[in-house]
Amino acid sequence: MAKMWEGRFKKCVDGVVNDFNSSVSFDMRMYKWDITGSIAHAKMLAKVGIISEEERDIIVNELKNILSDIESGELVIDMNAEDIHMFVEEVLTKRVGSVGKKLHTARSRNDQVALDIRLYLKEEIDNIVSLVRECAEVVTDIAEENLESVMPGYTHLQRAQPVTFAHYIMAYAHMFSRDISRLRDTKERMNFSPLGAGALATTTYDIDREFTAKELGFYGVTKNSIDSVSDRDFVLELASDIALLMMHLSRMSEEIILFSSWEFKYIELDDAYATGSSIMPQKKNPDIAELVRGKAGRVIGDMTGLFAMMKGLPLAYNKDMQEDKEAIFDAIDNVKMCLKTFIPMLKTMTVIKENMLSAAKKGFINATDVADYLVKKGMPFRDAYKATGNLVKYCIDKGVVLEELTLGEFKSVTDSFEDDVYEAIDLMTCLKGRKVIGGPNPDTVKTDIEEVRKELERYE
Ligand code: ARG
């Protein structure tokens, strides 16, 4: 197949090389941004007098036609093309003749591809942010309905202290909010145009980089042409943001899997978001949550693949960098797919408050409160800790919980116990007493929900 760069070569490339070298099968998804970038470039070429206004109009109009023809399906992207950039330019030249050959003046595919990915990723970041935001909003809705749903909080997966389902699930709202802020930061940092950097050393034409940057909605231009074409930090940064976000979704999935098991049964997934077993008729499996957990591993793989690909590259552009696309596209596709399934799964799941409460009643999660009770009566914390430990040991042997002990039994450990101990270690008291900022007290959590919602609104 004839190549645009064929002048220097004595032979056509081998078919196998053509397939190996080609990126069109995956970079075709950037066609809109490639064409948009070319339109801005053509306008700039006319502005500085490199092409005439008539030539600009011919090029710009035909590029617009190419865009709409691809979108309508009239123009099928040729899988034999080397990449999307070559394809668009070839079609343009075929359609408008030699005027089309002027488009690539003062430009290289190196700055072109760096531009296209930035434009494409900026749009995808917005798409991901709006999904994460929706997910966080669903979390705040669930929290609002469970301000007083007492459950055991865990450390080491052992029942630890009383919390509510609202308090617990809001932890994820905060993770998602940080995810959004990270994604937005990444977008801010990549919002500079590399167009005009050329192959690596700009050009001798007096081009106007600021003009194209403005046309394309960038804050400004990148400042070093070698960096401009060899920088993929923004791809790695986004992959890291997505990996982190997937890690959050994966941890939440793990808990959904755990909490929907009969061992916990704190939640029940809607039938539409669970699957059955081919052999065991009783099974209802949390496949979605498991797949999200699994895909988190895959996306972390995309991220590490990108780091490995970049870490040894000399400046400036190297073809290795073509490998950035499949990895980042995979991460983007997967996180979007995960969120689109995860959100309705979350929305439709049932919270079984009674089961949380009965687990909360069984795990000595008010033991710290017994110790704190003694401290408030004047005992040093370490002594109070030990006295309570002895009480717990006694309870375990007897098969009861702390609040079931008689006052006499309490007093057998220390005389500091009085009648008010029962009220002091009631789960609701323990919960409401924790009104320190960040704590599970229902009013405290309510305030937190309101604040997070306001934060999310700002992300519109
Ligand atoms: N398809 C290439 C990529 O994705 C475009 C840039 C090619 N540049 C070059 N000099 N071969 O990286």
Side-chain angles (χ1 to χ4, degrees), residues 23 27 82-83 85 109-110 113 232 317 319 321-322 324-325:
S23 55
D27 65 21
E82 191 170 317
D83 52 33
H85 327 294
R109 263 186 304 158
N110 296 351
V113 73
R232 292 293 181 274
Y317 178 84
K319 190 74 173 211
M321 286 154 75
Q322 179 164 286
D324 62 352
K325 287 170 208 67

Side-chain angles (χ1 to χ4, degrees), residues 92-112:
L92 176 73
T93 305
K94 222 176 277 163
R95 289 187 179 187
V96 301
S98 60
V99 179
K101 295 183 188 168
K102 296 193 175 184
L103 174 64
H104 209 55
T105 315
R107 184 176 74 169
S108 156
R109 263 186 304 158
N110 296 351
D111 57 346
Q112 190 178 356

Side-chain angles (χ1 to χ4, degrees), residues 171-460:
Y172 286 103
H174 284 280
M175 295 179 222
F176 294 141
S177 170
R178 290 196 297 275
D179 286 322
I180 294 175
S181 125
R182 249 187 301 272
L183 286 161
R184 287 163 57 99
D185 280 355
T186 300
K187 185 179 164 191
E188 292 280 292
R189 248 186 304 282
M190 74 167 73
N191 202 8
F192 294 88
S193 169
L195 192 61
L200 80 163
T202 70
T203 173
T204 51
Y205 291 102
D206 193 15
I207 58 169
D208 187 345
R209 292 191 61 202
E210 305 275 0
F211 174 85
T212 41
K214 204 155 167 237
E215 278 283 303
L216 295 166
F218 288 103
Y219 292 152
V221 298
T222 54
K223 291 293 162 64
N224 175 294
S225 62
I226 295 176
D227 181 45
S228 306
V229 290
S230 59
D231 170 28
R232 292 293 181 274
D233 288 3
F234 55 96
V235 179
L236 273 63
E237 205 178 328
L238 178 58
S240 310
D241 297 346
I242 298 175
L244 232 162
L245 163 58
M246 284 299 299
M247 181 272 284
H248 292 152
L249 289 173
S250 178
R251 290 185 78 177
M252 197 166 181
S253 295
E254 166 62 18
E255 296 199 291
I256 288 170
I257 294 160
L258 209 60
F259 289 173
S260 63
S261 75
W262 280 110
E263 278 63 24
F264 283 82
K265 256 309 163 230
Y266 291 173
I267 54 170
E268 177 78 30
L269 292 176
D270 189 87
D271 280 1
Y273 293 94
T275 52
S277 152
S278 61
I279 175 171
M280 297 165 282
Q282 85 286 10
K283 288 298 284 294
K284 180 171 167 184
N285 295 329
D287 286 28
I288 293 172
E290 291 170 82
L291 264 176
V292 170
R293 190 176 57 184
K295 282 177 187 294
R298 167 188 181 144
V299 169
I300 292 166
D302 292 329
M303 176 193 72
T304 54
L306 283 164
F307 275 89
M309 180 274 286
M310 284 301 289
K311 75 183 241 321
L313 294 188
L315 302 179
Y317 178 84
N318 300 272
K319 190 74 173 211
D320 314 46
M321 286 154 75
Q322 179 164 286
E323 290 291 311
D324 62 352
K325 287 170 208 67
E326 280 162 299
I328 194 66
F329 294 167
D330 186 74
I332 290 170
D333 293 347
N334 276 286
V335 76
K336 279 166 49 184
M337 209 155 52
C338 286
L339 282 163
K340 280 182 193 158
T341 329
F342 193 87
I343 293 168
M345 177 188 71
L346 212 56
K347 228 186 221 165
T348 53
M349 83 184 182
T350 312
V351 178
I352 310 173
K353 302 180 187 186
E354 315 83 76
N355 291 351
M356 290 182 182
L357 183 62
S358 59
K361 281 182 177 160
K362 276 181 260 167
F364 298 105
I365 59 177
N366 50 0
T368 313
D369 299 86
V370 173
D372 287 341
Y373 168 88
L374 291 174
V375 170
K376 283 170 194 161
K377 296 276 176 192
M379 194 182 276
F381 180 75
R382 275 292 153 232
D383 296 338
Y385 176 97
K386 194 167 174 202
T388 311
N390 285 330
L391 271 180
V392 171
K393 187 163 60 186
Y394 176 81
C395 285
I396 292 170
D397 288 345
K398 207 180 163 199
V400 295
V401 292
L402 288 160
E403 49 273 48
E404 286 168 346
L405 295 176
T406 64
L407 188 57
E409 286 172 312
F410 272 118
K411 278 190 178 295
S412 71
V413 179
T414 160
D415 220 26
S416 306
F417 281 114
E418 285 167 71
D419 229 7
D420 58 352
V421 65
Y422 296 101
E423 165 64 16
I425 66 170
D426 176 79
L427 284 183
M428 235 18 201
T429 317
C430 302
L431 199 73
K432 293 198 167 147
R434 291 178 158 80
K435 39 180 187 254
V436 173
I437 297 175
N441 171 292
D443 291 331
T444 312
V445 175
K446 201 164 177 232
T447 310
D448 184 43
I449 294 173
E450 281 156 18
E451 283 171 6
V452 168
R453 279 184 177 152
K454 262 188 228 135
E455 221 168 270
L456 294 174
E457 265 162 41
R458 280 206 300 274
Y459 292 142
E460 275 210 273

